[in-house]
Amino acid sequence: MEVKVEKKYGADLSSIKEAQARINSFIHKTPVLSSDSLNDLSGKNLFFKCECFQKGGAFKFRGACNAVLSLDDDQASKGVVTHSSGNHAAALALAAKLRGIPAYIVIPRNAPKCKVENVKRYGGQVIWSEPTMQSREDTASKVLQETGAALVHPYNDGRIMSGQGTISLELLDQVPQLDTIIVPISGGGLISGVTLAAKSINPAIRILAAEPMGANDAAQSKAAGRIITLPETNTVADGLRAFLGDLTWPVVRDLVDDVIIVEDKEIIEAMRLCYEILKVAVEPSGAIGLAAVLSDNFRKNPAWQNCKNIGIVLSGGNVDLGFLWDSFRK
């Protein structure tokens, strides 16, 4: 039975279903993998939603595609602009290319090389900024003024949240018996879309966020009851360094059941398991859900003992191989 989550959030089940209809012919319906070895290791039935196989190598293409296809022709002709250190940048460039419009992508100088190469591969125009949010936003505003392009924020945008929510529509169709979904958290676009869709379809389902210790602003925000930002972040998960927005935070505050914090070494070990057991290339941010399920923070918490069938979103697979080998050697 579907439950109406009233439109007090940036997205809802109807906007997510509209997004699905809009993007379905462009996206990959990604497979769900499982492994007896990982089930034995975790003591749970794990179902991995492989968004690392999505176009652009990450879930971000869903939201970007929805945003670009939502623009009217006049807006679209001027192109789109965003600031992003990685997967959203490539996703927006690809979505813009499919619609035949320009994409202006502001990228901080410290972004992973493989993610910058993806943007260029899809024809995005790269504009460099300093690696601070202030510089990213200032540079993007300047591009907006010069081009008249439409801003597509990486996560704090209802069109983005709705696009990411299509993951839940697919996953609950593929594995209806799920009682829990574990989702990486950063700016909250992914988890808010996934949560709004999943809880509308099955109000009893639990949604847990997975967050690195070195960027644990979402956990701090949940504890404080308001958005907390950190002076700096320090984590191997380069895709999980953003802070919650005013559209994503209310969903995290009201509907996400808990945040599980994991150490970087646990993330790297989970990446190794994804490679060695699932045979899937996953970036650190994408492996954090598995790291969470295997962590003491999850295993020893009596609240989660009865989570049996757990969906884990492997959010992306864009990783510099040089970085990967180095992290495994440590």
Side-chain angles (χ1 to χ4, degrees), residues 233-256:
T233 56
N234 180 17
T235 175
V236 70
D238 62 272
L240 302 182
R241 294 173 183 159
F243 305 128
L244 297 163
D246 61 356
L247 292 179
T248 58
W249 160 240
V251 183
V252 174
R253 178 192 64 207
D254 299 347
L255 299 175
V256 171

Side-chain angles (χ1 to χ4, degrees), residues 26 55-56 61 64-65 67-69 71 76 79-80 88-105 117-125:
F26 296 95
K55 288 182 184 172
F61 182 65
C65 195
V68 165
L69 295 177
L71 297 172
V80 286
H88 174 69
L92 191 66
L94 177 55
K97 182 182 177 185
L98 290 174
R99 188 156 178 188
I101 63 175
Y104 307 98
I105 313 290
E117 291 306 317
N118 272 349
V119 173
K120 292 178 176 171
R121 187 178 296 136
Y122 299 136
Q125 298 181 38

Side-chain angles (χ1 to χ4, degrees), residues 32-39 46-50 52-53 270-282 290 312 314:
V32 173
L33 299 182
S34 56
S35 153
D36 289 344
S37 300
L38 291 177
N39 290 351
L46 306 181
F47 299 90
F48 296 92
K49 181 65 167 158
C50 294
C52 44
F53 299 156
M271 275 174 81
R272 182 197 297 276
L273 293 170
C274 287
Y275 277 73
E276 292 181 353
I277 298 178
L278 282 181
K279 315 295 184 225
V280 171
V282 177
L290 176 58
I312 293 178
L314 298 180

